[in-house]
Amino acid sequence: MPNTELTALQRSIDELRQTMSALRGRYGDTPAVRRIANDIERLEIDAAELAGGRMAPMPRQAEMVVVPDTPYDPQLWDGADDEGVGGYRPHRR
């Protein structure tokens, strides 16, 4: 692929990445948003391969995961067993 086409491809991928940031802000970290982000990353890798390794893919931004300080709902653990420790329910024979 000529250099002008590679440059246009990289510009398009950059625009997709910018649009992806806006989508993530609007829709949050949903499965669909993650799939689209993965597709953009794959496009960058493929474009770099076409360029013979001359185009390095953009580094991924670290994603921050917010863990709330509020306690978990106790019903979340209903019926759960601690593996290897025994269970919460008595054993039946």
Side-chain angles (χ1 to χ4, degrees), residues 40-81:
I40 293 170
E41 185 175 337
R42 287 178 46 228
L43 285 170
E44 288 179 326
I45 292 168
D46 291 341
E49 186 178 320
L50 284 175
R54 292 184 305 236
M55 296 171 54
M58 297 276 295
R60 277 183 103 177
Q61 289 182 333
E63 294 182 29
M64 184 184 306
V65 177
V66 178
V67 179
D69 290 335
T70 57
Y72 289 110
D73 181 5
Q75 291 180 347
L76 177 68
W77 306 109
D78 281 353
D81 289 335

Side-chain angles (χ1 to χ4, degrees), residues 36 42 68 71 91:
I36 294 170
R42 287 178 46 228
H91 295 286

